[in-house]
Amino acid sequence: MNQRLKKLQAWMKENGIEVSFITSSENVFYLSGFFSNPHERLLALAVFQEEEPFLVCPGMEVHDVKSSGWNQEIIGYSDIENPWELVHTSIKKRLNGVQKVAIEKEHMNVERFEQLTALFTGAAFVSAEEKLRKLRMIKDAKELKIIEEACALADYAIEVGCSEIKEGRTELEVLNAVEYALKQKGVTEMSFSTMVLTGANAASPHGNPGGTKIQKGDLVLFDLGVVVDRYCSDITRTVAYGDINDKQKEIYDTVLKAQLAAVEASRPGVTAAEVDITARRIIGDAGYGEYFPHRLGHGLGISVHEYPSMTETNQLVIEEGMVYTIEPGIYVPGVAGVRIEDDIYITADGAKVLTKFPKELQIIR
Ligand code: MN
Ligand code: MN
């Protein structure tokens, strides 16, 4: 039994939970080492306090489960079998009269919940999410190494993006060149849809790249991430194409100052709120407070957004082993959008910055 399952079992014992029925691909992967996107088919990991856990998956994936290293029971089902009957039988073999079941309430759908309430008549259903988020929040050495690789590829992507900026190129053309270069390096998946936004388009924090042409005097914003062995990186850099005006420069300098201060403030013992406020105060003092409309950052790992959430109200205490982003931004409609985002790892001494592409304003000629 792996350490993660043991930690979940200890939590189940403390809370009188007899069964955890885990159905999200991310948490099944975290606990079992097996990743699959089963689409509409059922993928689930059933964990018990003492009895052997089992993994339910489409029959065609049983071989992949075995080669992923999962050496406990696997229940494969064909497209003409009802997986719930198999689940029922396997649970009955282990337990009778279940009182408390943990599920992922944010992930579970109603159809599946009805199956489970029929299976565990009268049982209480509690959330497993909070516990799993806390477990996933602290990364081990192996996870850190993978995230570092994903960050190195993200740095490379920004480097390629900068070299592809040319007069008259569209956002999509540059984006395409970046993803092509990554595929040449063996990357199969991005953390999310890559963003290349130029000029006024960059003033929307979640803009859509399109046919807009890059012009001299534009600030060009890249936001992208690379998936390595199921772990995500997430980087943003904003660069200048040719000379930019004083206002754009002032906005850039303010974001950079806020970003550096928040990295510096990140260490064990401070709260997420204190880190957010460090950056927010600098942006506010410069007169741009209303143009920084989102949280400072988010945890990063198997999911591109996970715990901790770096908001100005989150009293969660930062601990060694956390990985999160620091990404302040200023978006002045019609003028400029600037965001600078790093992924950091918390050590006993403070932040280790994992994304290393330079943050001083890069001017592309
Ligand atoms: Mn990002
Ligand atoms: Mn991010």
Side-chain angles (χ1 to χ4, degrees):
M1 195 81 64
N2 69 52
Q3 285 307 311
R4 295 172 184 175
L5 278 174
K6 280 185 187 159
K7 284 181 188 166
L8 183 70
Q9 286 174 317
W11 170 78
M12 290 168 66
K13 281 176 199 164
E14 277 164 33
N15 293 279
I17 297 160
E18 294 125 308
V19 186
S20 286
F21 197 78
I22 305 302
T23 48
S24 70
S25 294
E26 292 81 5
N27 282 332
V28 168
F29 170 70
Y30 184 73
L31 293 167
S32 73
F34 172 65
F35 185 88
S36 160
N37 178 349
H39 303 287
E40 77 285 6
R41 294 185 177 100
L42 178 69
L43 169 75
L45 178 67
V47 183
F48 308 89
Q49 290 183 13
E50 305 284 349
E51 297 78 6
E52 186 188 18
F54 66 83
L55 201 147
V56 197
C57 67
M60 58 189 165
E61 294 183 0
V62 168
H63 181 76
D64 295 337
V65 180
K66 283 182 186 156
S67 47
S68 77
W70 176 254
N71 54 13
Q72 321 272 337
E73 188 177 351
I74 307 166
I75 300 172
Y77 58 91
S78 74
D79 284 337
I80 54 170
E81 275 179 302
N82 179 351
W84 293 102
E85 284 171 14
L86 303 174
V87 168
H88 181 84
T89 311
S90 302
I91 287 175
K92 276 274 137 69
K93 264 195 276 179
R94 290 166 168 83
L95 293 175
N96 262 315
V98 172
Q99 305 292 314
K100 216 184 210 180
V101 182
I103 56 171
E104 294 150 286
K105 291 193 173 183
E106 286 177 27
H107 177 262
M108 169 89 28
N109 65 35
V110 177
E111 194 269 335
R112 289 176 179 184
F113 185 62
E114 285 174 354
Q115 294 283 355
L116 289 177
T117 49
L119 206 61
F120 304 113
T121 326
F125 287 85
V126 298
S127 175
E129 262 133 350
E130 202 56 27
K131 181 63 190 175
L132 288 165
R133 281 184 187 131
K134 280 185 189 153
L135 289 176
R136 278 170 56 179
M137 194 158 61
I138 306 297
K139 270 69 180 177
D140 63 27
K142 195 177 150 215
E143 290 177 296
L144 174 63
K145 194 167 168 287
I146 297 169
I147 294 170
E148 281 181 311
E149 271 178 56
C151 288
L153 284 163
D155 287 333
Y156 169 70
I158 299 288
E159 200 184 303
V160 172
C162 289
S163 70
E164 291 293 332
I165 292 175
K166 304 265 157 46
E167 181 82 41
R169 284 256 172 101
T170 67
E171 295 164 336
L172 277 176
E173 282 166 349
V174 173
L175 186 162
N176 217 4
V178 168
E179 293 197 348
Y180 180 83
L182 288 173
K183 293 224 157 77
Q184 295 289 100
K185 287 228 170 207
V187 169
T188 56
E189 198 183 337
M190 304 302 288
S191 306
F192 50 87
S193 298
T194 299
M195 269 199 251
V196 179
L197 300 168
T198 195
N201 291 351
S204 163
H206 276 162
N208 283 313
T212 305
K213 290 181 171 155
I214 298 169
Q215 292 173 334
K216 281 271 162 71
D218 276 357
L219 283 167
V220 183
L221 184 151
F222 296 93
D223 187 356
L224 55 88
V226 174
V227 179
V228 172
D229 294 343
R230 305 311 330 161
Y231 284 80
C232 301
S233 57
D234 186 5
I235 188 173
T236 306
R237 288 293 185 272
T238 310
V239 301
Y241 180 46
D243 295 316
I244 56 171
N245 62 40
D246 290 348
K247 192 74 181 167
Q248 288 168 314
K249 185 85 176 52
E250 180 191 299
I251 292 172
Y252 190 92
D253 290 343
T254 306
V255 174
L256 179 58
K257 198 173 152 199
Q259 208 273 350
L260 292 170
V263 171
E264 192 61 39
S266 289
R267 60 182 178 273
V270 300
T271 63
E274 286 171 310
V275 180
D276 179 288
I277 289 165
T278 300
R280 201 165 297 280
R281 190 174 291 139
I282 290 168
I283 291 175
D285 287 350
Y288 292 103
E290 63 181 300
Y291 301 113
F292 175 24
H294 55 73
R295 62 182 173 179
L296 179 69
H298 52 85
L300 192 68
I302 300 166
S303 301
V304 69
H305 286 179
E306 50 184 66
Y307 274 16
S309 181
M310 303 302 291
T311 69
E312 60 189 305
T313 55
N314 189 358
Q315 296 306 316
L316 181 89
V317 175
I318 300 303
E319 284 175 57
E320 197 174 339
M322 287 181 179
V323 171
Y324 58 86
T325 70
I326 292 188
E327 50 177 306
I330 295 177
Y331 316 89
V332 184
V335 178
V338 172
R339 181 167 63 254
I340 303 172
E341 175 179 27
D342 278 325
D343 303 342
I344 66 165
Y345 172 78
I346 300 298
T347 72
D349 306 323
K352 179 180 182 191
V353 181
L354 308 179
T355 37
K356 300 187 191 316
F357 191 89
K359 289 184 281 194
E360 314 83 67
L361 181 64
Q362 304 289 302
I363 300 170
I364 316 284
R365 298 285 174 189

